[in-house]
Amino acid sequence: MSAADNKNSSYITDKEVSFKFDGKKYIGYEGDTIASALLRNNVRLVARSFKYHRPRGIYTCGIEEPNGIVQILNEHNEPNTRATVKQIYEGIRVSSQNCWPSLNLDIGSINNLLSPMFSAGFYYKTFMGPKGFWKRIYEPIIRRTAGLGKPPKEFRSKSIHQNHNVDIVIIGGGLSGLITARKLINTQYDVLLLEQDSFLGGILKNSKKIKRINNKEPNEWINETEKLIKDSKNIKILKNSLVTSYNFTNHLIALEDKSVGKKIDNNKSELTLHKIRTKHTILANGHIERFISFRNNDLPGVMLAASFEKYIHRYGVVPETSPVIFTNNSTTASLLKSLVDLGHKPAAYVDSRSKDKIGRKFLNYLEKNNIPFYINAEVEGCDGNKKIKTISIKKSNKIIKVKSSMLCISGGINPDIHLFTQSKGLVKWDDKLVTFKPDVSFQNTITLGSVSGNYNYEKTVEEINNKLSFFKTKNIKLKIELNDISNFNIKELWETKHERKSNWSKSFIDLHNDVTTKDLKQAVREGFDRIEHLKRFTTNSMGTDQGKISSINSLGIVSKILKKKISEVGTTTYRPPYAPLSFSAIAGRNTYEFYDPQRKTPIHNWHIENKAVFEDVGQWKRPWYFKKFEMESMHLAVQRESEQTRKTAGILDGSTLGKIEIKGKDSLEFMNLIYTNAFTKMKPMSSRYALMLGEDGMIKDDGIVCKFNDKHFIVTTTSGGAPKVLADMEEYLQTEWPHLQVYVNSITEQFSTFNISGPKSRDIVSKVFTDVDFSNENFPFMTFKVFDYMDTEVRIMRASFTGELGYEIYITPNKALELWKKIFHFGKAYDLVAYGTETMHLLRAEKGYVVIGQETDGTVTPLDLNFNWMIGKKKKDFIGKRSLTRSDTSRDDRKQLVGIIPIDKSEFIEEGQHVVESERLPKRITTPVEYLGHVSSSYHSPNLNHCIAMAMIKGGNKLMGSKLFVSSTYGTKNIPVEVVSPVFIDPENKRLLS
Amino acid sequence: MKKKYSIFTLIKNAFSNNENWQKMWKSPEPKKTYDIIVVGGGGHGLGTAYYLAKEHGIKNIAVIEKGWIGSGNTGRNTTIIRSNYLWNESAFLYDHSVKLWENLSQELNYNMMFSQRGVMNLAHNEHDIKEMKRRISANRLNGLDTQWLETKDIKRLVPIMNTDNLRYPVLGAAFQRRGGVARHDAVAWGFAMRADEMGVDIIQNCEVHSIKTKNGKVEGVKTSKGFISAKKVAVVASGHTSVLAKTAGVRLPLQSRPLQALVSEPIKPVINTVVMSNAVHAYVSQSDKGELVIGAGTDGYNSFTQRGGYDVIEETVRAIVELYPIFGKMKMLRQWGGIVDICPDASPIISKCEVKGLYFNCGWGTGGFKATPGSANVFAHTVANDEPHKINAAFNLERFSDGRLIDEHGAAAVAH
Amino acid sequence: MTQLLSSQGIDISQKNFQQIIIRGDGKDQFNEKINQEISTFPPSKNLEVTTNDKFIFAKNSFDQWSLIYLVEQDYKEILKFISKINSNDEILASDYSYGQVYFEISGENKNEFLNQLTHFDLRLKRFPAFTMAQTLIAKIDCTIYNLKDKYIVTCNKSYEDYFKERLKDSIKL
Amino acid sequence: MILINCPYCGERDQSEFSNGGEAHVARPENSENLNDKEWGQYVFYRDNPKGIFYERWVHSHGCRKWFNAVRNTSTDEILAIYKLNENPPSKESFTNTLKTPSGEPKVGSGNFTVKK
């Protein structure tokens, strides 16, 4: 008794392929899955179970497989691969999972002996004490024993995404799918046909249930149909494409495996994730056979009947020439017939149905071929060591033992409603079919064929013509002849009773997670009588197969315990994805080098040439500091840049600053509403530092406003804040103040910005822009000029973020680099230095300027920063005004901005540390220590040669001059500091206005 | 009688073929009236009932659950537990919770599998670093065990992490050792079992349609099983809280958003701590079963569908494979969504309201699970005494008028 | 113009166009003003694109137009035009000439190719010739003009390197 | 993923849009006359109904235009879209066309079921 070939299989070639399983070499045929190849080689033991490490064999022939889950060693050690789906190729190396030292001798199987203790949810009830043991002892052990496969190896996939927009999607290229496609050929509709297999045909190839279609052999008809579709202009076929998710408004996710049956080429995309948007979805994705629970229904050799049949016809392998067949329904008839037609003879046919249900016709057939059969009978269980030896059949309280190495079972078939429920369609229980089938669909979803609960193939055409009548297409005519001996009927049967009761005997309800029918009963006993509770408590159907062959069975069993109708117990949620979905496919190319775009300024390459170290600011790459020589540390570089800037001049690439152009009759009114400042009295061609609040009164952004006239402004924003500020302006204009005639455009990228500052900056710009008068009288602080230069337009603003004399230069990007170099050409004589964001931060801190997002954190008002002078008190309204007078925001003991310096000038204050009143902190802090606030900025000032810091502390304004302490990461001793004004350099603005 | 669980009871029951286990809780029909009705049978609600009975001696309580207990966010989150929050108010509240977590398995004699494997928050830019160092310093002064990790330390704890060869390099992390994960269902079941033992009625499959009030005082709730009167009503219904509040004429500053999570197929242990990253949006831990438990983001719109947008899943997964290149060969097993109620300041509301006898515990947003015992404990106190516990005093409704917000969004805009 | 890449049924080249974004109410006075300067009326139908050998003129939405010069103009002329337009208080014209990059994409596989990078529905029945759209391509904001036999795609200059790499990458795989 | 019909650009994937919360909340004219509570209501409180919701969207990755939508938050089905200057459709016009399921598991099960 062993496997045999079925030479007249339509699919398998006889091209030999060698592969390795657990180190041993085997030969299969091209087109074999790992499973079919192993069966061909009479390998029955392929895995160990999750919890009890029981021996397991191939149980199904597809995605629903609960047992045959393996590791692909030569594909970056990919774990948890379904042997029933993955095709072999020359040299593929496969290993079993979750066993040690070997599949055959697995120490873990000790758990099987202890299994009575490992009852459902046992881990909730023990491993609790003594305290701390869970973390140190129990959990590590449990973690090591749990888990399926070993971790994969690093692999940066090049999987791609492909978007589709179509009118109709057909899921499933089986009988119904193909007929539907034929109906839609050369119509106005764009159609996408998705088939999970590498060929079309479905049931037509998986069985011999159908004899002829329009007097043609099924294969002939399939080929004809495929050609018709290929020649059509409007239908596209995607093979090896499994639909995994059915989202809202007919958005589908399908995974195409482009390396079926071949080695993965790491430089190509091996997977394509299809994102499909369609008007109508047609589900023709068929059904899944379910099993029956009986003693040892997990023993290698037990297999679903339809899967057995699939192996015969698709893969040309008869896993066992004389198996026992155990069924409660009519679908197994075709398997029996297939065996007989191939000259094999089943060891026994066991049917729980009665004579009249089975039907005379089929009984005659059994007798004619003198097949030993038992009706009104059940399989009580099977026995054997790592493979079936004997099968115990129970008929009228007698046990008959039959010898066979395989047992083909069928507990009925379930419409594959996974995707349908994902779409939020409703299912209802059908007592005749003993299963759930689609009821009301929630989206534009149509189900056809067995997924709709129509198991009668002769009726398929009629069904399609009816359900698709609303499409503008002709009705289709097809004659379908069957091989089947009887029409579908079934007798409800979920579980057969054990003969002798033993604490060790098991009949499984979830093979993947090792859940037994006993566990279900215990769970219900403990009060978990709701199906979702049951699921969570027992982990039933929570495995990687999502209980495809068993979840309805568990409902059946529970309904019996609770003496309720199954429809009352409810069905369990099917959550996307339909089958485990590759992470790298989901990520596609939007990761690794393309995780997030890098935004670069026109000066970027110059920065690189000049040894800039970059900082990420949003998506922007900004020079953080420039290394003068390779070994120069950040600290040295920043000290150098800062010193040089105050000594002569420094320049910063500020191109990332947000820039917005604002124009319209009511621009002035708009500006007065958006910003806290008052702009009415502001002179044309002048600039002003401005603040923007949220309605909650908290500072949101700042920038400099350039006023051309009352109807035309240009403003800058923080680099990170730019998009948000523009969006907010648009929002207020469109939704709150449509009566204001104002337009705003982002011009961030239309101008590059350079900030040049330092005592020598005037000399330098005067040399660059020879015909501009930069004198204090004609170009005072906070004014700007626009003029032609280098065949483009340049805007220069006298402004400074360093406290030095400074100019902000705006020029179009195409000329930016040229100008930048020119400035350096003339700057050379003055040792002009390029500086980065860190120096910018240091210099502004010396001057006491704040940085939004550093001094502020979304909880700071202008008053907290002593920015009262920036608030247009006389203005009737502006965004956030009202919030400033709430009882909490108007407190005068809020956290306020102060400067602090260490009393011992040699000490350094760390950013982020807190300001306290005590000299020391306890070693272990048990009762919280009161603090006044935190240090928001801290730098070593090269120009003062000691540490300067800013802090936000409670009632800071009143604490000027007082002595406090700042905590330190270096120990319990706090640093004594003095509270001072945050302006450390040039308080009287001599440098600024020079 | 009190159920005792231990290795011995397991053995005992093993010999009786596991046929003598008792119900963990009864499922009684609701009485006409109760002293206190807790609306919402999640961890927070069941815990509230438990502490009311245990610490405040009130036994005439019903917990009313629309579905089955733990069916809401309790059973839908990524089970991360930590207390390293910036502001004192939050730090005290969440650490109160962590302290309760540390003894909960023993207290309830039910294994919460609270695993203090540490929680890491990664820093990916200068701004993150500044924000975290400030947080760590504040935590220290509040007696919390948060520490700064250099990249090499991170590598040692999570060798599979890609720290340098990515768009936003890992520059360091804030790490709280006492943080970790727990078994989410166990919390609901454990509280339910012990509350039930003390006489609390746990009523499932009973939907509260509205809260009945009369001249500014609560009278009871209208449910799918009829009207049930009560002296006090405590609402802990996460996403649906504001909907119920409205029926009592109370307006809450909440928005209900989908929050999604996903798990991978189980593999042998590869990541033994919890890693969170905001810039590269990815929260990961590995369950004892071996599944990677991954938290995604919230969608930007209100929804009660328990189903978010697919793009949010993609955003998270692409971050995961960026941060952990070996996960490229992993597969997503399940994905699901919950409905979280979000407050303007990203802090919860545990408060009385203008209606006498009506209390709310809501606004936990994406971070409610970690707070389960703590929130339940102080809420029970608030309901029992009609007065907040000092730990939750600041989490009142008034703050949205006077401006005393507890803004846990973290620092706002990026620097110049 | 520089040929970027050319592969099975898909050709991409980078162009140096100049552009102006014009905001206004689209009423007679507005149209007249524009017409005076470039002797063409701005397209009146939303998303409509009018084009000749010199420029593309498209209506992005009810109050925004983009004018793209296909043949390089003297920049001074463009600035002059902008200042003339802006002399009218109720119109805002912003120069976009050098802050954007432009790509011309043609070939019979251009839709399938672009749909690797965008979910946008490029089918002729949803995206007719001589219309435009603003959408996400490769995760960044882009504008795409359908000129029947080819598309013009434009995005911010700071994304230039990234966007080119994405295009090349998609062709490769 | 929701498909949103931008009144200016046509049907686009939701990922191109940003949501603006409750619609028709006018910014108070004379905020100085409001007390803290009233002002707080405007700043922090927005409607959050389960069912019919009048809300705002902006096509942030497209034309950057704002518009209003009526959405059933228990199913995410968009019932109507209208421009800012158009009048909102009446609630009544939807109540009978409302498509269930509520979008949540039916009590006691994980199945999506219609309240019939």
Side-chain angles (χ1 to χ4, degrees), chain A residues 128 246 275 595-596 931, chain B residues 88 106 168 307 314 318:
Chain A
M128 279 173 282
Y246 192 146
K275 301 177 175 178
Y595 178 75
D596 205 24
Y931 56 80
Chain B
N88 300 359
Q106 287 74 21
Y168 297 109
R307 175 86 163 264
E314 180 178 321
R318 70 191 189 93

Side-chain angles (χ1 to χ4, degrees), chain B residues 276-354:
Chain B
M276 312 173 69
S277 165
N278 288 327
V280 180
H281 194 287
Y283 302 177
V284 193
S285 68
Q286 189 175 12
S287 75
D288 291 338
K289 203 178 159 195
E291 298 164 330
L292 300 172
V293 181
I294 295 166
T298 49
D299 284 271
Y301 54 90
N302 295 4
S303 176
F304 292 80
T305 57
Q306 293 189 324
R307 175 86 163 264
Y310 170 83
D311 50 331
V312 178
I313 297 294
E314 180 178 321
E315 279 306 300
T316 302
V317 171
R318 70 191 189 93
I320 291 288
V321 295
E322 162 102 342
L323 211 44
Y324 310 93
I326 76 161
F327 291 164
K329 274 284 177 192
M330 296 290 291
K331 305 187 203 77
M332 172 168 80
L333 176 55
R334 269 193 313 280
Q335 133 202 1
W336 64 90
I339 312 166
V340 297
D341 45 333
I342 296 176
C343 259
D345 59 354
S347 287
I349 296 166
I350 312 172
S351 177
K352 320 163 37 170
C353 68
E354 61 259 40

Side-chain angles (χ1 to χ4, degrees), chain C residues 89-148:
Chain C
D89 289 343
E90 280 151 42
I91 305 178
L92 166 58
S94 299
D95 173 31
Y96 263 51
S97 292
Y98 302 114
Q100 300 288 107
V101 281
Y102 305 85
F103 301 92
E104 183 183 287
I105 301 177
S106 56
E108 74 267 47
N109 294 340
K110 57 182 185 302
N111 282 11
E112 198 183 353
F113 168 78
L114 274 172
N115 275 135
Q116 279 185 38
L117 298 171
T118 179
H119 54 245
F120 180 67
D121 190 345
L122 292 156
R123 289 177 298 168
L124 209 55
K125 62 180 165 190
R126 303 300 304 280
F127 185 46
F130 303 109
T131 63
M132 58 87 64
Q134 298 172 88
T135 187
L136 285 168
I137 302 179
K139 294 197 161 300
I140 58 175
D141 291 350
C142 292
T143 308
I144 173 167
Y145 303 87
N146 184 350
L147 304 184
K148 197 144 171 288

Side-chain angles (χ1 to χ4, degrees), chain D residues 55-104:
Chain D
E55 66 181 352
R56 313 183 306 148
W57 287 91
V58 57
H59 193 186
S60 40
H61 293 291
C63 61
R64 288 193 279 105
K65 293 288 182 269
W66 284 84
F67 56 91
N68 293 327
V70 185
R71 185 169 54 96
N72 178 358
T73 58
S74 56
T75 61
D76 281 349
E77 186 190 10
I78 293 178
L79 305 164
I81 293 222
Y82 56 102
K83 296 180 182 168
L84 295 174
N85 55 8
E86 294 169 337
N87 296 332
S90 75
K91 236 187 173 99
E92 293 64 40
S93 54
F94 306 114
T95 36
N96 37 16
T97 68
L98 253 199
K99 210 174 178 189
T100 42
S102 72
E104 306 168 81

Side-chain angles (χ1 to χ4, degrees), chain A residues 399-410:
Chain A
I399 292 285
I400 305 111
K401 289 197 186 294
V402 177
K403 283 205 173 322
S404 174
S405 77
M406 282 194 88
L407 172 57
C408 308
I409 57 171
S410 172

Side-chain angles (χ1 to χ4, degrees), chain B residues 25-317:
Chain B
W25 54 79
K26 332 171 210 40
S27 306
E29 280 305 300
K31 296 188 243 163
K32 290 252 155 303
T33 174
Y34 290 92
D35 292 345
I36 299 174
I37 287 176
V38 178
V39 182
H44 292 252
L46 293 160
T48 304
Y50 169 79
Y51 287 114
L52 277 167
K54 176 165 171 279
E55 295 184 355
H56 305 280
I58 306 167
K59 305 285 167 84
N60 185 20
I61 304 172
V63 177
I64 302 183
E65 166 57 42
K66 170 177 61 178
W68 27 278
I69 59 171
S71 58
N73 295 342
T74 300
R76 294 168 178 274
N77 65 86
T78 49
T79 78
I80 297 172
I81 293 166
R82 60 184 180 95
S83 62
N84 54 348
Y85 279 69
L86 175 63
W87 303 108
N88 300 359
E89 298 85 348
S90 322
F92 297 155
L93 175 62
Y94 288 101
D95 206 52
H96 179 56
S97 195
V98 169
K99 292 203 182 82
L100 289 168
W101 274 115
E102 284 169 336
N103 295 306
L104 209 54
S105 294
Q106 287 74 21
E107 180 177 343
L108 300 177
N109 176 232
Y110 201 66
N111 194 346
M112 302 289 143
M113 299 170 217
F114 178 37
S115 157
Q116 293 180 290
R117 56 182 74 164
V119 174
M120 216 185 262
N121 294 72
L122 301 179
H124 293 275
N125 56 44
E126 284 304 298
H127 188 258
D128 287 354
I129 295 177
K130 290 181 195 295
E131 195 272 336
M132 281 179 195
K133 293 211 163 163
R134 172 186 175 189
R135 181 181 298 253
I136 290 167
S137 165
N139 287 170
R140 176 189 174 203
L141 294 170
N142 282 325
L144 305 187
D145 63 321
T146 319
Q147 74 199 84
W148 174 255
L149 294 184
E150 297 297 337
T151 310
K152 59 175 186 339
D153 310 322
I154 298 172
K155 262 288 194 198
R156 207 178 308 115
L157 281 160
V158 188
I160 62 166
M161 192 191 295
N162 171 18
T163 51
D164 39 17
N165 177 21
L166 69 168
R167 175 67 177 89
Y168 297 109
V170 176
L171 305 175
F175 185 56
Q176 184 178 26
R177 283 197 183 283
R178 285 164 61 237
V181 292
R183 180 82 183 93
H184 51 17
D185 294 327
V187 189
W189 300 343
F191 274 135
M193 169 173 66
R194 299 309 173 192
D196 170 273
E197 280 172 355
M198 290 185 282
V200 173
D201 283 358
I202 294 162
I203 297 152
Q204 304 184 80
N205 293 0
C206 179
E207 182 164 10
V208 173
H209 297 315
S210 65
I211 298 162
K212 191 156 176 287
T213 64
K214 196 166 171 195
N215 35 45
K217 208 186 160 319
V218 78
E219 290 203 313
V221 293
K222 296 204 182 92
T223 78
S224 52
K225 296 187 176 179
F227 175 75
I228 309 172
S229 77
K231 297 195 189 70
K232 293 177 174 180
V233 173
V235 185
V236 206
S238 66
H240 287 78
T241 308
S242 53
V243 179
L244 284 167
K246 209 166 171 206
T247 66
V250 178
R251 208 165 173 228
L252 296 173
L254 298 174
Q255 299 287 290
S256 296
R257 298 285 170 89
L259 174 67
Q260 297 182 83
L262 60 111
V263 295
S264 75
E265 297 184 320
I267 53 167
K268 299 293 178 191
V270 283
I271 177 163
N272 297 319
T273 177
V274 183
V275 186
M276 312 173 69
S277 165
N278 288 327
V280 180
H281 194 287
Y283 302 177
V284 193
S285 68
Q286 189 175 12
S287 75
D288 291 338
K289 203 178 159 195
E291 298 164 330
L292 300 172
V293 181
I294 295 166
T298 49
D299 284 271
Y301 54 90
N302 295 4
S303 176
F304 292 80
T305 57
Q306 293 189 324
R307 175 86 163 264
Y310 170 83
D311 50 331
V312 178
I313 297 294
E314 180 178 321
E315 279 306 300
T316 302
V317 171

Side-chain angles (χ1 to χ4, degrees), chain A residues 708-722:
Chain A
F708 289 87
N709 55 53
D710 285 351
K711 300 176 177 67
H712 190 187
F713 295 79
I714 287 182
V715 304
T716 65
T717 74
T718 58
S719 302

